Amino acid sequence: MEPSDVTAVLERPISQQMLARDVARLAYVAKDGTPRNVPIAFSWNGAEIVMCTAKNAAKLHALRANPAVALTIDTEVHPPTILLVRGSADLDYVDGIPDEYMEATSTYEMTPEQRVEWEAGVRSLYHDGMVRIVVAPTWAKLIDFDTTLPSAVEELIRQQAERQG
């Protein structure tokens, strides 16, 4: 997929709504060669998807060995809206808590008092820092079941029209 095609998908208003959500599913290949798919908080900075994790997370070893990833961001309603993204994960070890982590978790429903307590717990838990998993999209597809469908469904509709035509 050409970079301009990726940009065109990600700049669509529905894609922008999806990129404003707070949880994605990150798929990668584990060190044992089996697939993994984990929910993870993320933020979109206009060019990259940034996720943060503990420095001792098992996924980091796997991502160093094979940085190819796929992300799914979707809704919980019917029909769902689905944004699919592929890219390569770059790992950035940082001291402290990355701004992106605090931004990604800013939509969590808490009282102001709970937020203060939660942030203190985060700062204590990750006192030695975190790792930013940064993905610049190299492929993207939006499925909204109105203007776009999964490729297989599009093919079935085309075949159905040929049979009926």
Side-chain angles (χ1 to χ4, degrees):
M1 186 172 221
E2 293 296 321
S4 60
D5 296 330
V6 175
T7 299
V9 170
L10 297 178
E11 287 181 347
R12 292 186 61 188
I14 298 172
S15 294
Q16 289 294 301
Q17 290 172 9
M18 299 306 290
L19 290 164
R21 294 179 64 84
D22 55 7
V23 176
R25 288 161 187 75
L26 171 66
Y28 62 96
V29 178
K31 288 281 285 192
D32 65 3
T34 59
R36 296 288 191 277
N37 192 346
V38 296
I40 189 167
F42 78 96
S43 64
W44 169 249
N45 66 18
E48 304 162 320
I49 294 172
V50 180
M51 300 152 283
C52 300
T53 193
K55 288 183 174 180
N56 64 342
K59 66 180 147 289
L60 298 176
H61 301 291
L63 291 171
R64 274 194 296 277
N66 181 353
V69 298
L71 293 126
T72 300
I73 306 165
D74 56 354
T75 60
E76 300 79 26
V77 297
H78 182 76
T81 300
I82 306 162
L83 181 61
L84 304 170
V85 175
R86 295 180 202 155
S88 183
D90 288 319
L91 306 179
D92 178 23
Y93 289 75
V94 297
D95 293 326
I97 310 303
D99 291 339
E100 292 96 346
Y101 184 74
M102 300 313 283
E103 177 186 320
T105 57
S106 68
T107 61
Y108 292 1
E109 291 186 25
M110 316 181 198
T111 66
E113 296 79 19
Q114 289 171 323
R115 177 55 115 173
V116 167
E117 185 177 327
W118 181 83
E119 285 188 16
V122 165
R123 293 187 192 290
S124 174
L125 184 63
Y126 299 109
H127 65 83
D128 69 338
M130 296 182 85
V131 178
R132 296 170 68 246
I133 302 169
V134 181
V135 177
T138 58
W139 181 94
K141 179 166 184 168
L142 177 67
I143 301 171
D144 64 9
F145 292 93
D146 182 26
T147 63
T148 57
L149 297 167
S151 300
V153 174
E154 289 174 344
E155 175 64 16
L156 290 172
I157 291 170
R158 186 189 62 71
Q159 290 173 6
Q160 179 186 48
E162 287 175 1
R163 284 192 311 270
Q164 294 174 348

